[in-house]
Structure formats: structure tokens, C-alpha cells
Amino acid sequence: QVHLEESGGGSVQTGGSLRISCVVSGYYFDRLCLGWFRQVPGEKREGVAVIDSNEVATYADPVKGRFTISKDNDEKTLVLEMKSLKPEDTATYFCVADRRPPGPLCMVYAGIEYNYWGQGTQVNVSS
């Protein structure tokens, strides 16, 4: 069983930056497909960024060039650095994981449900 625990998030003004992290346990961290999703109440969840076991990252179009996903295999931590934040980035951000090989199955638009989810952390961007 993979356990995910997010931290970070908070409130910033437009143009600000935030960093959210996710500590992963319960499986071989370096073999996991890891990512971040976000959701606004009443709306569909959307993929934000995904990184595979070869550390190849893919990003959703709305965040390309502003967000960076990375992972630390020693600390078993997934990180999302968010810059130039916009009000439309306001959402609950979820860390996700799955036992999936690198490649097309571990990309932000793969469209495959993730088996493991964190509890979520709130990001608020005010105008």
C-alpha cells in the first residue's frame, strides 16, 4: 500500500510562487509513476504534472513554463514548484502515485486513473 502525505500550499497573490511536497512511503519510490492533480469544487479533477521513474516529466498546457515537478529519490519526496501563479490555479492539489512503467502510461494526459492519492493541500491565488 502506497501512502502519500502532502505539505505546503497556502495563499499568495497573483504572480507569486508556492512549493508543495509529498512524502511517499510503502513501495519502491524510484519505480513509481508520480504526479499532481488538482480540483476545484464542482469541477472535474485535472492532471497538472506527472513524472515517471526515468524522471521524464509532462505538464498540462495551462501550467507549462510555470510549474516544475521533481522528485528526490533519497528523501522519497515529490515536489511541485509553482511560479507566476494565477487565480485560476486556485484548487486543492493532490499527490498521486501508481505502479506504472515509464513512458506513455505515465504522462499527464494518459487518462488512466491513479490508485493512490494523498489527502490534498489547498492553494489559493488572489488577484
Side-chain angles (χ1 to χ4, degrees):
Q1 183 76 7
V2 178
H3 181 70
L4 309 170
E5 186 164 351
E6 300 103 334
S7 62
S11 298
V12 294
Q13 293 186 324
T14 297
S17 299
L18 279 175
R19 180 179 189 267
I20 54 179
S21 302
C22 174
V23 176
V24 183
S25 60
Y27 191 68
Y28 302 100
F29 179 82
D30 56 354
R31 299 182 190 179
L32 288 169
C33 172
L34 299 164
W36 293 95
F37 274 62
R38 66 186 181 186
Q39 188 171 25
V40 175
E43 297 186 12
K44 188 178 177 182
R45 285 182 307 204
E46 64 171 349
V48 175
V50 170
I51 187 166
D52 70 18
S53 56
N54 289 335
E55 305 204 18
V56 175
T58 54
Y59 297 90
D61 290 340
V63 307
K64 277 181 183 176
R66 301 188 297 121
F67 289 13
T68 302
I69 188 171
S70 63
K71 60 178 188 169
D72 184 329
N73 288 334
D74 292 333
E75 297 294 327
K76 296 181 175 55
T77 299
L78 179 71
V79 174
L80 186 68
E81 299 274 3
M82 303 179 286
K83 298 181 180 179
S84 303
L85 282 161
K86 306 175 182 180
E88 51 264 43
D89 295 317
T90 295
T92 301
Y93 284 71
F94 297 90
C95 176
V96 299
D98 213 311
R99 303 174 189 180
R100 228 176 269 178
L105 295 179
C106 184
M107 299 177 74
V108 72
Y109 290 124
I112 303 173
E113 187 64 44
Y114 283 77
N115 284 316
Y116 304 103
W117 291 73
Q119 80 284 358
T121 187
Q122 184 66 33
V123 170
N124 295 313
V125 185
S126 59
S127 57

